[in-house]
Amino acid sequence: MGNLISMRQMKVHQRGVVKKINASGEMGRRLREMGIVPGVVITIQGRAPLKDPVAIKVRDTVLTLRNNEADYILVETE
Amino acid sequence: MSEKRRIKVALSGNPNSGKSTLFNALTGARQHIANYPGVTVEKKSGFITHRGYEIELVDLPGTYSLSAYSVEEQVARNFVIEEGPDIVVEVVDASNLERNLYLFVQFLELGCPLILALNMMDMAKARGIHIEVERLSQYLGVRVVPMTARAGEGIGELLDAIVQEAGKELRESYKQISYGRDVDNALAQMEALLKNAEKIPAKYPRRWLALKFLEGDSIVSELLKGDGEIFERIRAISAHLTAHTMDTLGEDPESVIVDQRYGFIASVVRHCVRREIENRLNLSDRIDRVLTNRLIGPIFMLFVLYALYLIIFWVSESPVSWFETAFGFLRQKAQEHIHTQILRSLVTSGVIDGVGAIMGYMPLIFFMFGAIAVLEDSGYMARIAYMMDRLMRFFGLHGSSVIALIVSGGISGGCAVPGILATRTLKDNRERLATALVTPFMNCGGKLPVYAIIIAVFFPESRARILFFLTLFSWFVALFSARLLRGVLLRGPKSPFIMELPPYRLPTLRGLLIHSWERTWLYMKRAGTLILAFSILFWAGLSFPTLSDSERMRFENLRKAEIEKIQPQLGDSEPYPQKVDRQIKEALSKIDEEEAASALKASFLGRIGVWLEGVTVHLGFDYKLNLALISGAFAKEMIVSTLGTAYSMEVQSVKAYSIEDRLKADPKWNPAFAFLVLIFITTYIPCIPTVLTIASELSYRWALLSVLFNLSFTVLFCMLLKKGMELFGLL
């Protein structure tokens, strides 16, 4: 059992499993539609030059989201 | 089937699934572009004949989902419901199957006849992904056609499948994905109720309506209100379900449904897809490690943008001059063949010069679109947005706003017209408006020659420094205006930045050409028609009312006097010696110029210029400068030439001819005043082509606001600047 942290706190190249998405409405839906659902494995690909947004790999897609959007996503890391 | 020879096909798919490539491969250049009714979403369609069938292919907007949240998604689902295409071809990226199938599942839910086009098989193979096509077809209940549209592989098979599958109903069992027992039960109850709801049009599948209602779909909810009694009962079922799922799962039904869709997809993928290598860093990921690196990334980006901009202007230089030559030739022909003076003036100054000034932009716009297409199709555009987003967000804009600002002249030289068109990539309407409205502040190619002349006269020692300052100033004004707009008129949440960084791909030449051409054509159709009207209007404003007869007589007499003054020196011997001939010509052209100048002052726009002195006196601008600035509203390049014409009024007092010398000789023009004028020109007004583009892309209201905002800001700012200069004794 790893520890549960928000996606913002993850380091570059770190992997984890999405446990919970604390957003509803448009934000929650957009996150889910792009494949960020509980149980999915994500890897932090990198961060933009100003540390925000963050690029993550989900399934076979690279997605970008802002740190304040990453806050909604709780991840279990190894 | 045999009697029906026409098939209507809708092409759907995620952005970056290769849908456009497939559409282009299927239809070639025979495309028709319009907008979907009532919205500014582009609708492309084309006709193909295959095995005796006429196939009408409609390209639905690229979306990730079919929710009510974005216009594109509404358009896509409305098309399927309202138009009932014979078949929907869902294009998916085989190398990214899981995420791509999410949209497919929502078409299953709509229950329309479907084919799955499994595109980019080459990429999947390269990444070690094996897909069992037959088994996938069994699991999904539809025909699956593996293909690589870029290489033209599988196109024929897809067309065969379209002809065979068109109009075939989906088997009932495949339309019903399970969303877990609780949701399924609620759905069944709601569906039963809706079957009796006769007030709700039959074209909407009942189970789909129920599903969308559970997902909190605002449009479906409005629709169901049409039957008040049933709506109440459905709402009760939904509320009950929500309470239950929140209690047991901690999630609302909307989330549960999405999770279950992905659950369904995961099980399909588990059975049909085999990976040789797990989670290897692919080529695209490795390129990104360099190109979005914290240090190398921004430097490379600046390099790319600058290079792109240099290339655009370098490539379009010759075509622009061809257009100039062509219009010059037309102008000359018109001069020779039209003998009525007023008609000649209308055709040459009104129509040919006006349309020519705009047509001159055409190659520039074409290549600008080409460059944008390269950035988009290669996948680099998304990286620029990703890297710039943090900075732009501070000003209430979006990472992608940078592209529009640079195209408009962010590195100085550019054009706001393609810049505004480039804002189409922005999905959030407020962010798009804010970006489009500040593009006219950028230093476009039209302002540059004006700057060049003024700077050359008053700041010969520091040309580069002043130009650099003006570039910084334009960014400063643009970004802070954007912040202001977003804080006052365009208040609203920042749009989510959840965006895909698509794999890097080499753009295809065919795709680029089609892309740039169709956008250029659309621009020509929209702006072109109005531009002709405006250029005639502007010509009339400068030509009417004409000089009074007595004034014209006065100039006629002056001419006669001039000739008589020179003529006696030669007696009657013809032909004139060359020197005298030249003298007469010079003297006459001087008078011509004076006449033109007084005609200008007497014209409608000239009078406005004089009248405006009431306001501009606070800036120190006289009617000549006013008139020049008014003409700059048509095209900024004209500021210099109009100023030249207006100054010929005072030709008697000044021996010199060139506009540079005239400005130097005017006591009012010192470096401080010149600086004030430069600042004024940078921001004062969007030119008419820009205003028309804002009007056609956004609305007339916004176009009007853009003019008023820029003008009032600039006048106020320059008044303050002038006061400051006076305080320091500079003016």
Side-chain angles (χ1 to χ4, degrees):
Chain A
M1 181 70 192
N3 50 327
L4 216 56
I5 56 172
S6 88
M7 193 190 276
R8 185 203 279 262
Q9 292 159 297
M10 290 174 78
K11 294 179 190 69
V12 173
H13 305 318
Q14 198 178 9
R15 262 163 69 101
V17 180
V18 172
K19 284 289 157 187
K20 195 160 173 42
I21 297 151
N22 284 324
S24 56
E26 183 176 3
M27 178 70 72
R29 170 182 277 273
R30 286 283 296 276
L31 289 170
R32 285 187 164 85
E33 279 171 357
M34 298 300 277
I36 305 174
V37 294
V40 77
V41 177
I42 58 149
T43 315
I44 304 289
Q45 290 276 98
R47 287 181 194 277
L50 294 169
K51 298 220 172 188
D52 188 14
V54 57
I56 61 169
K57 189 142 194 176
V58 192
R59 301 170 206 271
D60 288 297
T61 320
V62 181
L63 295 180
T64 65
L65 34 136
R66 290 173 180 159
N67 279 338
N68 56 5
E69 291 152 6
D71 281 340
Y72 295 116
I73 302 164
L74 286 183
V75 184
E76 188 180 70
T77 55
E78 285 131 20
Chain B
M1 278 301 285
S2 60
E3 79 279 4
K4 194 180 159 200
R5 309 299 283 183
R6 273 183 77 124
I7 303 175
K8 190 190 264 183
V9 181
L11 197 63
S12 162
N14 283 183
N16 309 308
S17 62
K19 183 168 68 76
S20 312
T21 313
L22 177 58
F23 184 79
N24 289 340
L26 285 168
T27 61
R30 294 150 301 174
Q31 302 182 1
H32 177 72
I33 306 164
N35 274 4
Y36 283 97
V39 289
T40 53
V41 178
E42 224 169 64
K43 179 186 183 182
K44 285 200 272 181
S45 52
F47 283 95
I48 323 150
T49 37
H50 185 73
R51 296 190 193 272
Y53 286 87
E54 188 171 22
I55 301 173
E56 183 192 357
L57 195 64
V58 177
D59 193 21
L60 298 181
T63 60
Y64 292 108
S65 180
L66 291 179
S67 70
Y69 281 112
S70 81
V71 192
E72 284 84 0
E73 295 178 27
Q74 290 169 26
V75 161
R77 70 187 205 185
N78 283 347
F79 184 84
V80 174
I81 293 168
E82 307 286 337
E83 309 256 330
D86 298 302
I87 196 149
V88 175
V89 175
E90 169 68 21
V91 189
V92 296
D93 173 358
S95 69
N96 188 359
L97 195 58
E98 252 181 294
R99 219 280 318 288
N100 274 251
L101 280 179
Y102 187 77
L103 181 63
F104 173 84
V105 166
Q106 294 185 67
F107 277 102
L108 276 186
E109 292 166 351
L110 263 175
C112 48
L114 266 174
I115 294 178
L116 188 74
L118 203 53
N119 194 18
M120 302 194 184
M121 286 299 280
D122 55 342
M123 181 89 86
K125 209 166 280 171
R127 291 191 180 177
I129 299 168
H130 291 279
I131 300 172
E132 303 266 359
V133 174
E134 267 314 304
R135 193 181 286 179
L136 186 64
S137 169
Q138 279 167 23
Y139 272 88
L140 297 175
V142 304
R143 259 293 263 284
V144 178
V145 183
M147 61 190 313
T148 303
R150 271 175 75 98
E153 285 165 24
I155 304 280
E157 287 84 345
L158 179 66
L159 285 170
D160 285 346
I162 287 173
V163 168
Q164 287 157 16
E165 302 289 321
K168 275 192 199 165
E169 280 292 311
L170 282 182
R171 272 167 292 171
E172 207 51 46
S173 59
Y174 287 100
K175 289 187 197 170
Q176 301 198 357
I177 297 161
S178 169
Y179 307 96
R181 214 181 54 210
D182 299 329
V183 177
D184 287 351
N185 280 342
L187 276 178
Q189 288 173 40
M190 292 162 80
E191 194 184 356
L193 281 171
L194 285 166
K195 281 203 169 120
N196 301 321
E198 277 155 19
K199 288 181 199 159
I200 292 153
K203 63 190 170 189
Y204 294 99
R206 272 23 195 173
R207 191 178 152 92
W208 181 79
L209 285 178
L211 187 67
K212 287 291 143 184
F213 187 82
L214 288 181
E215 284 188 89
D217 189 297
S218 55
I219 293 173
V220 165
S221 179
E222 274 308 308
L223 182 77
L224 295 190
K225 275 182 193 158
D227 194 325
E229 193 197 335
I230 287 177
F231 177 75
E232 284 311 317
R233 291 172 69 184
I234 282 177
R235 200 160 66 170
I237 299 172
S238 168
H240 183 73
L241 177 69
T242 306
H244 184 71
T245 59
M246 287 305 287
D247 199 34
T248 53
L249 304 165
E251 287 187 331
D252 51 17
E254 182 182 357
S255 309
V256 174
I257 291 168
V258 179
D259 295 353
Q260 290 294 332
R261 282 189 189 123
Y262 270 111
F264 167 76
I265 293 166
S267 82
V268 170
V269 168
R270 206 163 38 240
H271 287 104
C272 309
V273 179
R274 194 163 43 81
R275 281 170 180 277
E276 272 175 8
I277 321 139
E278 197 64 36
N279 271 316
R280 191 187 58 170
L281 267 188
N282 59 46
L283 179 65
S284 189
D285 295 340
R286 270 177 282 166
I287 296 175
D288 259 340
R289 287 212 164 168
V290 180
L291 294 193
T292 61
N293 173 282
R294 192 166 293 168
L295 275 175
I296 305 170
I299 295 170
F300 182 79
M301 178 177 68
L302 281 179
F303 171 77
V304 166
L305 291 175
Y306 191 62
L308 212 61
Y309 149 90
L310 283 184
I311 292 170
I312 290 166
F313 280 89
W314 176 68
V315 176
S316 48
E317 203 172 318
S318 329
V320 165
S321 71
W322 298 335
F323 271 90
E324 270 169 20
T325 315
F327 277 94
F329 177 76
L330 270 179
R331 195 177 202 285
Q332 198 194 333
K333 284 286 150 209
Q335 290 273 24
E336 284 167 15
H337 293 284
I338 305 174
H339 299 294
T340 325
Q341 203 225 331
I342 196 80
L343 196 63
R344 185 170 62 218
S345 162
L346 169 67
V347 171
T348 54
S349 306
V351 178
I352 297 178
D353 285 358
V355 175
I358 305 310
M359 287 302 288
Y361 289 116
M362 252 29 295
L364 204 61
I365 284 170
F366 179 80
F367 288 112
M368 197 76 84
F369 280 138
I372 292 171
V374 170
L375 288 179
E376 276 176 347
D377 294 1
S378 65
Y380 192 65
M381 183 81 99
R383 271 80 185 177
I384 294 179
Y386 166 64
M387 286 191 279
M388 291 304 289
D389 182 66
R390 187 66 197 85
L391 196 63
M392 286 295 114
R393 202 188 331 159
F394 178 75
F395 299 102
L397 299 177
H398 187 275
S400 310
S401 306
V402 175
I403 320 275
L405 293 178
I406 285 169
V407 169
S408 307
I411 321 175
S412 77
C415 180
V417 171
I420 289 160
L421 298 177
T423 62
R424 282 184 189 174
T425 50
L426 292 167
K427 290 287 166 246
D428 181 84
N429 204 34
R430 293 197 193 88
E431 282 170 348
R432 184 181 176 203
L433 277 167
T435 310
L437 290 177
V438 302
T439 52
F441 289 128
M442 295 289 138
N443 286 328
C444 70
K447 293 178 198 169
L448 287 185
V450 188
Y451 292 161
I453 286 176
I454 297 178
I455 291 174
V457 176
F458 297 99
F459 308 96
E461 304 299 316
S462 44
R463 288 175 203 221
R465 223 179 310 154
I466 295 282
L467 194 61
F468 182 66
F469 174 83
L470 289 174
T471 305
L472 284 187
F473 177 71
S474 65
W475 274 98
F476 182 84
V477 175
L479 291 178
F480 280 93
S481 306
R483 178 104 208 231
L484 186 72
L485 280 168
R486 288 285 276 145
V488 183
L489 281 177
L490 297 168
R491 236 194 169 115
K494 285 158 186 151
S495 71
F497 190 69
I498 310 158
M499 190 181 74
E500 190 179 353
L501 292 185
Y504 288 104
R505 287 187 192 120
L506 208 59
T508 59
L509 186 63
R510 179 191 192 147
L512 291 182
L513 285 178
I514 292 180
H515 235 96
S516 336
W517 171 246
E518 70 192 19
R519 288 183 182 178
T520 311
W521 177 239
L522 210 63
Y523 161 78
M524 271 167 36
K525 268 204 306 200
R526 279 196 189 159
T529 43
L530 282 169
I531 278 160
L532 179 64
F534 265 93
S535 71
I536 290 174
L537 214 64
F538 185 75
W539 165 83
L542 282 179
S543 313
F544 296 103
T546 48
L547 283 178
S548 63
D549 285 343
S550 62
E551 272 291 291
R552 231 175 306 172
M553 277 308 280
R554 191 170 70 81
F555 282 106
E556 211 42 59
N557 291 335
L558 276 176
R559 261 186 280 262
K560 270 190 199 131
E562 202 65 37
I563 294 171
E564 274 160 20
K565 209 162 74 191
I566 300 167
Q567 231 165 10
Q569 300 165 6
L570 356 121
D572 288 335
S573 64
E574 300 245 9
Y576 296 160
Q578 264 186 351
K579 193 178 156 221
V580 180
D581 192 31
R582 204 171 52 234
Q583 259 183 339
I584 291 182
K585 266 191 186 147
E586 251 172 46
L588 287 185
S589 75
K590 228 176 191 175
I591 295 170
D592 285 350
E593 245 183 89
E594 277 171 55
E595 185 175 6
S598 9
L600 203 59
K601 192 178 182 182
S603 73
F604 183 65
L605 285 179
R607 284 172 201 194
I608 290 183
V610 176
W611 178 73
L612 276 178
E613 278 184 338
V615 179
T616 59
V617 71
H618 301 291
L619 294 164
F621 295 1
D622 59 8
Y623 83 92
K624 288 173 294 207
L625 192 50
N626 288 348
L627 192 55
L629 291 169
I630 292 173
S631 72
F634 185 73
K636 297 279 156 62
E637 297 91 324
M638 287 176 63
I639 292 177
V640 178
S641 60
T642 313
L643 201 58
T645 313
Y647 260 96
S648 25
M649 294 289 282
E650 280 138 42
V651 80
Q652 296 107 319
S653 56
V654 184
K655 277 260 163 5
Y657 262 103
S658 75
I659 178 68
E660 284 94 335
D661 293 334
R662 278 171 183 161
L663 290 183
K664 246 188 246 172
D666 189 332
K668 198 169 66 243
W669 281 75
N670 62 14
F673 184 72
F675 186 76
L676 185 73
V677 173
L678 284 173
I679 292 283
F680 194 89
I681 291 173
T682 309
T683 58
Y684 80 107
I685 208 172
C687 64
I688 285 173
T690 303
V691 174
L692 293 179
T693 311
I694 296 179
S696 72
E697 285 290 302
L698 310 168
S699 76
Y700 275 95
R701 248 175 23 147
W702 287 113
L704 187 68
L705 177 100
S706 167
V707 174
L708 293 179
F709 177 77
N710 292 22
L711 257 182
S712 49
F713 163 80
T714 309
V715 169
L716 283 177
F717 182 82
C718 285
M719 277 182 185
L720 282 176
L721 186 65
K722 184 170 175 269
K723 283 275 170 282
M725 284 173 164
E726 281 166 352
L727 220 60
F728 286 94
L730 292 167
L731 264 180

